[in-house]
Amino acid sequence: MGAAVARRESPRSPLTQLRWVVQDSWTVARRHLLHIRYMPEKLADVTIQPLIFVFMFAYIFGSAIVVPGGHYRDFLMPGIFTQSMAFASMSIMVGIVNDMSKGVMDRFRSLPMSRAAVLIGHTGANLIESVLGLIVMTGSGLVVGWRADLGLWPTLAGFGVLLLFGFAMTWIGAFVGLFLRSVEAAQGFGMVVMFPLTFVANTFVPTQGMPAWLRVIANWNPTSAVVAACRQLFGNSISTPQASTVWPLAHPVIAALIWCGVLIAVFLPLAVWRFRWAMSR
Amino acid sequence: MSGTAGGGGVAIRARGVRKHFGRTEALRGVDVTAERGSVLALLGPNGAGKTTMVRILTTLLRPDAGQVEIAGFDAIREANEVRYRIGLAGQQAAVDEYLSGRANLEMVGRLYHLPTRAARQRADELLDRFGLAEAGQRLVRTYSGGMRRRLDLAASLVAAPPILFLDEPTTGLDPRSRVGMWEEIEALVDGGTTLLLTTQYLEEADRLADQIVVIDAGKAVATGTPDELKRSVGGERVDVRLRETRQLEAARQAIAEATGRTPDVDAESGHLTVPVDAGAAALTAVVRELDAADVGIEDIALRRPTLDEVFFKLTGHAAGDLSPDGEQIVRGARREEVS
């Protein structure tokens, strides 16, 4: 055997253990980022698909949508940003289902690596993908004429809210992925849950025109709060008289933060619980 | 083949291992022991509990009851110590399809906490050794089934583990790749690695193993060396094929004279078979009598029962007794496949 291989021992000190959690997490995350190099289409969820939506809504549907007191493209972009954050959770869902079903998870489990690193690496890589997607979309938004008008800090705060939402959705994706048995099921889940979640909201059109029952759902949809927060922070708000009567849309930034906090508080522990269960099975 | 050379000591020891999944009893109290440097085969049909046993021995599963000691460490309380000392190649090639072969091995090296350079060097070493040096930069997705298995085996060897677990290492391989895999395994064992492998192939267990544990329906039904198992079924016999079938009657009498038993006769092929107790001595006696009777012999041999026969006798069904959809029919009852 190669002299390169010296027998390693389990870490005794908490500090070494922590270092290995970080190092192992990075190794797992790096693997996903390498996937992007070999298979750029993996980023489709957060790049090509939002681009298609940008051009479809900006030029096709947008030509027939009139938003009072503003330009539709300004109205549209925060919606697209938010939608792509939601869709990014599909990638971690599929990734986890793949690892579970193809035996990669078993390989990890037979290694003396940190258990937590598997989950942290997956979610970390997912967040990095989301950032890459945001960069691509911001560029395309600028191309079609979208602008953030309120200066640097509110704009950064807007992206911060988006990433926080992306982080919350990642944990939902991880949790659901740990239950599903096939990639097809994950894709089906995306169709059934992601589309209503991102369409029954103020993402593409104001909610005022929706039937009353649908409007209630849309107004209280976390997606709506995040979209409205971005519109406010990017200065893309339009004057809609009724909007202010609904609490989450009247206080969108606080509502978005609360929603993200709640989603993380619920789904992060659930995902960790399910992950531990799956790892000890 | 290897002896138990490489020093004494027990590498794998499991006592009374039980595991159930829901209502299915996957393991019902299994003991296995492997001496350091030896090869132990778990032999059994699909659903017998082999994979469950391997998952318990490799710390992937906690047993409901029983003790497991690997390299002197408790597999439950000191799981991480165990993980530094074992390699596992499962039934599926657990490699990442969307990484290159090299990146796969490097990743595993890093997860064993090898320094980056050492992980890279080790990856190249293993690619070379398994004939994957040229394919090393390619995506695993483009690999053939045999190449994936070799990469998977390489991944299990990254940390040069003293104890290796191979779960059905040749299932699904074509005959040539299978022989190639056997040669790799034999080379590892010659290097002093303790090996536990599971297999449905009797030929494989016969060729590779020092000790065989036959598992059926969650229980170890027999343990021993391949020879011991064959002998335990008893029934050595002498097979004679005649040069000319017209001498059948003379041959039958000569054999009855030599062994005191009436042989089974296949008149068409000129084949006679007789059970014997005395082994080689009986063979000599038969040859002598046939010679004296001037019977021409095309072929004569002392046959021991094959592991197939052993398996059938021990379990009441054949090793490959599977329905087409992969589920096994055991004594009329369909059992949930446990894996």
Side-chain angles (χ1 to χ4, degrees):
Chain A
M1 293 292 156
V5 186
R7 181 91 39 240
R8 300 262 154 170
E9 300 295 328
S10 270
R12 303 272 175 225
S13 80
L15 203 68
T16 322
Q17 280 184 15
L18 184 69
R19 193 168 66 84
W20 282 1
V21 172
V22 174
Q23 189 189 316
D24 292 349
S25 301
W26 169 239
T27 305
V28 174
R30 196 171 161 276
R31 158 181 175 239
H32 291 279
L33 302 178
L34 277 176
H35 285 168
I36 297 171
R37 201 174 81 193
Y38 290 119
M39 198 179 46
E41 66 269 26
K42 206 187 151 196
L43 274 185
D45 275 351
V46 290
T47 54
I48 297 170
Q49 189 176 312
L51 284 183
I52 292 170
F53 274 89
V54 168
F55 289 99
M56 209 164 68
F57 277 88
Y59 295 115
I60 301 173
F61 297 117
S63 65
I65 300 173
V66 178
V67 287
H71 204 288
Y72 183 64
R73 280 163 219 172
D74 287 337
F75 180 82
L76 173 69
M77 283 314 296
I80 301 263
F81 285 146
T82 308
Q83 190 195 32
S84 79
M85 289 301 102
F87 271 96
S89 65
M90 291 292 298
S91 138
I92 187 170
M93 207 185 291
V94 170
I96 285 184
V97 171
N98 245 326
D99 281 2
M100 300 289 279
S101 61
K102 295 225 171 106
V104 175
M105 213 57 109
D106 280 350
R107 159 124 299 139
F108 284 154
R109 290 172 59 198
S110 76
L111 298 177
M113 63 183 287
S114 146
R115 291 288 168 272
V118 177
L119 205 51
I120 298 172
H122 259 292
T123 50
N126 198 232
L127 212 58
I128 294 171
E129 282 174 21
S130 297
V131 172
L132 292 176
L134 270 185
I135 292 170
V136 172
M137 272 183 297
T138 306
S140 68
L142 293 173
V143 168
V144 299
W146 165 81
R147 295 289 180 271
D149 298 329
L150 300 183
L152 180 65
W153 295 112
T155 305
L156 286 182
F159 284 118
V161 170
L162 283 170
L163 287 177
L164 185 67
F165 181 60
F167 186 68
M169 289 304 294
T170 288
W171 287 103
I172 297 179
F175 176 62
V176 175
L178 286 164
F179 276 95
L180 301 178
R181 278 159 190 265
S182 70
V183 172
E184 290 74 22
Q187 280 152 354
F189 179 87
M191 291 297 284
V192 170
V193 174
M194 289 300 162
F195 275 94
L197 180 74
T198 55
F199 273 84
V200 184
N202 61 358
T203 320
F204 298 105
V205 291
T207 57
Q208 285 84 8
M210 297 178 185
W213 62 273
L214 200 60
R215 188 165 65 229
V216 173
I217 299 174
N219 284 339
W220 287 89
N221 184 338
T223 311
S224 291
V226 175
V227 173
C230 288
R231 286 190 183 130
Q232 192 174 83
L233 292 166
F234 292 150
N236 300 145
S237 298
I238 47 170
S239 53
T240 45
Q242 290 119 303
S244 56
T245 63
V246 187
W247 190 86
L249 300 188
H251 309 86
V253 177
I254 296 170
L257 294 178
I258 292 175
W259 261 125
C260 291
V262 168
L263 291 177
I264 293 168
V266 171
F267 284 98
L268 191 151
L270 277 179
V272 170
W273 161 77
R274 182 68 188 183
F275 174 74
R276 293 172 79 112
W277 180 87
M279 289 298 247
S280 66
R281 200 163 42 101
Chain B
M1 280 293 200
S2 95
T4 44
V10 173
I12 301 168
R13 188 202 304 274
R15 287 276 166 277
V17 173
R18 293 176 164 274
K19 182 75 191 177
H20 72 92
F21 299 103
R23 279 205 220 133
T24 314
E25 292 245 44
L27 295 174
R28 301 187 279 175
V30 177
D31 299 348
V32 300
T33 307
E35 300 291 323
R36 195 163 293 167
S38 73
V39 180
L40 176 68
L42 302 185
L43 175 66
N46 264 347
K50 304 186 301 290
T51 297
T52 305
M53 192 66 191
V54 168
R55 291 172 71 85
I56 286 171
L57 295 174
T58 53
T59 77
L60 300 191
L61 266 183
R62 270 167 171 272
D64 298 336
Q67 285 124 37
V68 180
E69 223 176 73
I70 307 291
F73 292 96
D74 187 295
I76 297 156
R77 281 179 288 111
E78 300 165 300
N80 234 33
E81 298 296 337
V82 171
R83 289 179 192 129
Y84 274 105
R85 289 164 178 82
I86 61 169
L88 167 66
Q91 271 184 48
Q92 306 164 292
V95 286
D96 190 330
E97 300 209 329
Y98 296 106
L99 292 180
S100 65
R102 192 166 186 257
N104 262 290
L105 296 182
E106 269 186 59
M107 177 180 75
V108 172
R110 280 164 197 232
L111 293 174
Y112 272 111
H113 305 123
L114 298 180
T116 310
R117 281 226 352 246
R120 197 165 296 160
Q121 196 185 325
R122 182 69 179 150
D124 286 336
E125 241 172 73
L126 287 166
L127 288 172
D128 255 354
R129 171 162 164 203
F130 286 92
L132 294 168
E134 276 181 39
Q137 299 296 337
R138 267 171 34 211
L139 279 193
V140 171
R141 212 181 168 183
T142 66
Y143 285 19
S144 69
M147 288 163 80
R148 280 173 204 225
R149 281 298 178 89
R150 294 211 300 279
L151 183 65
D152 194 43
L153 182 58
S156 69
L157 297 176
V158 164
I163 304 172
L164 186 63
F165 294 86
L166 301 178
D167 192 7
E168 303 203 2
T170 64
T171 301
L173 292 185
D174 60 70
R176 226 184 83 199
S177 308
R178 174 170 301 159
V179 172
M181 187 62 97
W182 285 348
E183 284 164 1
E184 282 300 342
I185 291 171
E186 281 162 348
L188 281 168
V189 172
D190 287 343
T193 307
T194 305
L195 172 65
L196 183 143
L197 75 119
T198 73
T199 182
Q200 305 180 40
Y201 303 117
L202 305 149
E203 189 192 357
E204 189 163 287
D206 199 8
R207 168 158 176 174
L208 298 173
D210 300 313
Q211 286 277 318
I212 296 176
V213 176
V214 182
I215 294 195
D216 187 48
K219 284 195 125 157
V221 292
T223 304
T225 64
D227 280 346
E228 280 169 358
L229 286 182
K230 289 177 197 164
R231 226 175 293 138
S232 74
V233 181
E236 277 181 324
R237 59 189 196 277
V238 170
D239 271 9
V240 182
R241 201 162 83 236
L242 300 183
R243 201 169 290 154
E244 294 170 50
T245 47
R246 64 182 172 78
Q247 289 188 309
L248 265 177
E249 188 46 37
R252 204 180 59 80
Q253 281 178 16
I255 292 170
E257 188 78 16
T259 63
R261 285 179 182 146
T262 318
D264 288 338
V265 179
D266 183 344
E268 259 173 55
S269 62
H271 219 111
L272 300 99
T273 303
V274 66
V276 296
D277 304 317
L283 180 66
T284 323
V286 169
V287 172
R288 210 179 292 128
E289 285 297 328
L290 287 172
D291 198 40
D294 221 8
V295 174
I297 304 166
E298 176 75 33
D299 184 36
I300 184 163
L302 180 66
R303 302 233 191 265
R304 284 187 177 164
T306 63
L307 272 173
D308 278 293
E309 292 164 294
V310 172
F311 198 88
F312 189 80
K313 174 139 189 200
L314 288 170
T315 67
H317 55 88
D321 198 2
L322 300 170
S323 62
D325 61 6
E327 282 199 271
Q328 195 198 359
I329 317 283
V330 180
R331 290 176 201 110
R334 285 189 117 204
R335 277 190 302 138
E336 212 177 303
E337 199 184 347
V338 181
S339 66

